[in-house]
Amino acid sequence: MKLYSDQELSQILDQEIFHLIGRCADELGVECYVVGGYVRDIFLERPSKDIDVVVVGSGIEVAKLLKKSLGRKAHLSVFKNFGTAQVKFGHEEVEFVGARRESYSHDSRKPIVEDGSLEDDQNRRDFTINALAICLNHDRFGELVDPFDGIYDLEDGIIRTPLDPDITFSDDPLRMLRCVRFATQLGFFIEDETFEALQRNAERLKIISGERISDEMNKIMMSPHPSTGFDYLYRSGLLQLILPELTALDDVQTVGGRAHKNNYYHTLEVLENVVRTDAGLWLRWSALLHDIGKIKVRRWESGTGWTFHNHNFVGAKMVPQIFRRLKLPMDAKMKYVQKLVDLHMRPIVIAEEQVTDSAVRRLLNDAGDDIDDLMTLCEADITSKNSQRKKQFLNNFQIVRDKLADLQVRDYKRLLQPVIDGNEIMEMFHLPPSREVGTLKQTLKDAVLDNKVPNEREPLMQLLMEKAKEMGISRVTK
């Protein structure tokens, strides 16, 4: 976080695009400001591509004039129903909107919109750190307008609403997820009054579409420490509405003085372990859902203790239901998560027993191209506080990884060695070791490598005969 004076801001914005926008606004006699995330990220010293401009007047007219100034190299899109316009040119993308005030009905997050002042527009912003505006008009170029002390909230790392948080969240409940998302992405704290409003208004989330919810959830998942976001979601009551299957894991039972571990907090620990490997979005989802079936299969068995037999299988069956409800993609991404949830116990079982070629080969066959991600998930799943036990598991996993690598090399060589070898070719054509034999052998190998023929005797024999004939080599018959 770095504080800048207005003069320093004018130097930061000393770019052709901002001066052009300011001149267009001056020509039309209207005020215009760059606002929101672009301004916030200037102070956070983060890169930001999308430029949002608020015009106290018609944003569309300023956009049209900017397009005219830029000529054919720019593309203009106008969205009259929303009162917005977009200008694209090169790598730049600028969104224009007229300053407005909004009012909401209780059963919808779609506002009634009226023209307004800059103050009205800043009042309707979700958080103080997103309500910052910098003037682009020539006479005030670089002047910061910050009515809610958003700069100080940026400096202190606080997420806070500009106005009454109950009104802010009730009007547009999606802002509750955005609140958690920004806190998680930026590593900020949610101010107490704002957080209490999350708790009071959590039920309002029910009017938000699954697509909007999943979009915010994915952004939380891809943050540096997503477990922080899940902590906010859980304590506010939002997670119970979004993923009740996950919060159900926060249930520890005790029989005869023996309790099982808290699978909710274990799950968050596994998620953080996976994040440390720079995992992608769907591996993170796999970590979040890997134990989702445990509550359904939890049993106390005398002489054994707590068991969760087949929780991986039950959890895998739950994955499509969760993805469908959250409007997550029901394609190969869902199948990938389902597969990893289903298979995540297999490497553990193999590691606990003797690591045989056949068991590892079956695992490799079932996991396919996702074997590395599966092993990453399984290693992340070892959260034991017993350091010796944890070390033993991780050592065993390394044995499994080594065996996988060895088998992959051996099987690769085995599969790619044609069933007709050089010795048979020499005998078949009565040839000594020679360039001709090498050419015939390479022809068969290339055909197998390129999947032109299966690695089977009959089709390879046909190909061999064709190549030999082409080379003027005859088969010797007895």
Side-chain angles (χ1 to χ4, degrees):
M1 165 68 188
K2 187 171 181 179
L3 294 173
Y4 294 103
S5 66
D6 288 354
Q7 184 177 359
E8 288 172 321
L9 289 174
S10 68
Q11 293 171 351
I12 291 170
L13 296 180
D14 187 18
Q15 303 172 40
E16 181 187 8
I17 181 60
F18 293 116
H19 287 296
L20 266 177
I21 294 170
R23 283 200 289 272
C24 291
D26 286 339
E27 186 175 331
L28 293 170
V30 295
E31 297 174 27
C32 74
Y33 303 82
V34 60
V35 298
Y38 191 89
V39 180
R40 178 195 69 227
D41 289 341
I42 287 175
F43 291 98
L44 291 177
E45 300 181 275
R46 300 197 318 167
S48 186
K49 292 182 180 180
D50 299 334
I51 302 170
D52 292 320
V53 172
V54 163
V55 177
V56 185
S58 173
I60 292 175
E61 292 306 312
V62 175
K64 286 180 177 178
L65 190 54
L66 177 65
K67 162 67 174 83
K68 185 178 179 181
S69 301
L70 291 168
R72 296 177 63 182
K73 62 182 178 181
H75 175 74
L76 171 68
S77 301
V78 175
F79 310 97
K80 286 186 178 179
N81 289 345
F82 299 97
T84 64
Q86 180 188 75
V87 176
K88 288 184 179 180
F89 62 103
H91 298 294
E92 304 285 359
E93 188 173 301
V94 187
E95 299 276 353
F96 290 86
V97 64
R100 60 197 188 186
R101 67 167 63 97
E102 296 176 345
S103 57
Y104 292 79
S105 62
H106 188 72
D107 59 349
S108 172
R109 61 179 293 267
K110 294 180 180 179
I112 300 167
V113 178
E114 302 173 277
D115 292 341
S117 63
L118 176 64
E119 181 183 359
D120 291 326
D121 202 87
Q122 289 176 300
N123 285 343
R124 73 179 183 82
R125 299 276 161 178
D126 50 9
F127 308 109
T128 59
I129 63 171
N130 293 333
L132 303 166
I134 302 175
C135 188
L136 297 180
N137 295 90
H138 177 72
D139 291 344
R140 297 168 54 209
F141 192 83
E143 179 186 313
L144 177 68
V145 182
D146 179 18
F148 305 110
D149 292 330
I151 285 296
Y152 298 113
D153 286 345
L154 275 177
E155 192 174 23
D156 295 336
I158 291 174
I159 303 295
R160 180 171 59 90
T161 59
L163 302 177
D164 183 336
D166 283 306
I167 295 174
T168 298
F169 294 147
S170 181
D171 281 350
D172 185 354
L174 185 64
R175 290 170 176 163
M176 294 190 287
L177 289 184
R178 284 170 58 82
C179 177
V180 173
R181 189 248 293 182
F182 280 121
T184 309
Q185 285 180 327
L186 300 175
F188 282 18
F189 295 100
I190 300 175
E191 179 253 356
D192 288 346
E193 188 178 345
T194 300
F195 183 77
E196 289 164 6
L198 287 179
Q199 295 174 312
R200 288 192 295 268
N201 291 277
E203 288 291 326
R204 292 280 290 149
L205 193 68
K206 291 178 179 178
I207 70 169
I208 303 299
S209 69
E211 291 88 351
R212 294 278 187 172
I213 291 172
S214 63
D215 184 52
E216 293 297 328
M217 291 291 287
N218 286 341
K219 290 173 182 177
I220 291 170
M221 290 284 273
M222 289 306 296
S223 64
H225 295 287
S227 64
T228 301
F230 282 98
D231 179 58
Y232 278 129
L233 289 172
Y234 190 17
R235 289 193 295 114
S236 65
L238 292 166
L239 189 58
Q240 291 85 326
L241 299 169
I242 299 168
L243 265 176
E245 300 92 341
L246 182 61
T247 58
L249 295 177
D250 186 17
D251 180 59
V252 177
Q253 292 190 358
T254 303
V255 174
R258 294 177 64 183
H260 58 77
K261 68 185 174 186
N262 186 306
N263 288 298
Y264 171 75
Y265 291 104
H266 162 73
T267 293
L268 295 188
E269 191 174 348
V270 174
L271 176 59
E272 287 293 321
N273 287 344
V274 161
V275 168
R276 279 194 282 273
T277 70
D278 200 26
L281 176 62
W282 304 110
L283 180 51
R284 296 181 187 211
W285 271 104
S286 302
L288 189 72
L289 301 180
H290 81 285
D291 275 350
I292 208 76
K294 274 194 169 179
I295 294 300
K296 290 192 174 184
V297 300
R298 176 177 56 189
R299 299 286 185 276
W300 170 263
E301 295 181 1
S302 180
T304 302
W306 290 105
T307 65
F308 301 91
H309 296 314
N310 293 321
H311 74 272
N312 54 310
F313 174 72
V314 172
K317 289 178 67 176
M318 295 167 68
V319 169
Q321 303 164 16
I322 292 170
F323 268 54
R324 190 173 292 110
R325 187 181 72 240
L326 294 181
K327 299 296 189 290
L328 289 164
M330 299 295 293
D331 55 14
K333 299 179 180 69
M334 184 277 289
K335 292 289 186 183
Y336 165 91
V337 173
Q338 188 176 33
K339 180 202 286 189
L340 262 60
V341 172
D342 187 23
L343 295 178
H344 82 271
M345 291 299 295
R346 287 272 291 281
I348 294 175
V349 172
I350 293 173
E352 286 179 330
E353 300 171 356
Q354 187 177 359
V355 184
T356 64
D357 280 6
S358 59
V360 174
R361 186 174 281 117
R362 282 195 298 273
L363 175 65
L364 184 58
N365 179 69
D366 291 343
D369 293 339
D370 302 316
I371 185 66
D372 285 338
D373 285 354
L374 177 62
M375 292 303 298
T376 297
L377 173 59
C378 292
E379 286 162 349
D381 196 18
I382 306 304
T383 62
S384 173
K385 300 300 181 283
N386 183 324
S387 59
Q388 186 174 352
R389 178 174 166 79
K390 185 173 183 177
K391 183 179 179 181
Q392 181 184 348
F393 262 113
L394 293 177
N395 286 341
N396 287 351
F397 275 139
Q398 189 56 51
I399 294 171
V400 174
R401 276 191 180 273
D402 292 343
K403 181 74 75 173
L404 279 166
D406 178 57
L407 272 179
Q408 283 174 308
V409 170
R410 281 195 281 142
D411 287 356
Y412 181 78
K413 289 180 178 178
R414 177 178 58 81
L415 289 170
L416 296 185
Q417 288 298 328
V419 294
I420 301 173
D421 63 14
N423 291 328
E424 188 173 357
I425 291 172
M426 287 189 288
E427 183 179 346
M428 197 181 300
F429 295 102
H430 211 294
L431 292 171
S434 59
R435 179 178 296 177
E436 287 82 0
V437 174
T439 299
L440 291 170
K441 185 178 176 182
Q442 191 63 44
T443 297
L444 300 185
K445 189 168 185 177
D446 288 344
V448 172
L449 275 169
D450 295 336
N451 287 321
K452 291 180 179 177
V453 295
N455 193 9
E456 297 170 4
R457 188 171 185 80
E458 187 175 335
L460 283 175
M461 185 64 78
Q462 183 179 344
L463 177 63
L464 179 62
M465 292 299 116
E466 291 172 358
K467 184 63 179 179
K469 184 177 180 181
E470 179 186 313
M471 295 172 64
I473 301 172
S474 301
R475 183 176 182 179
V476 176
T477 55
K478 295 180 180 180

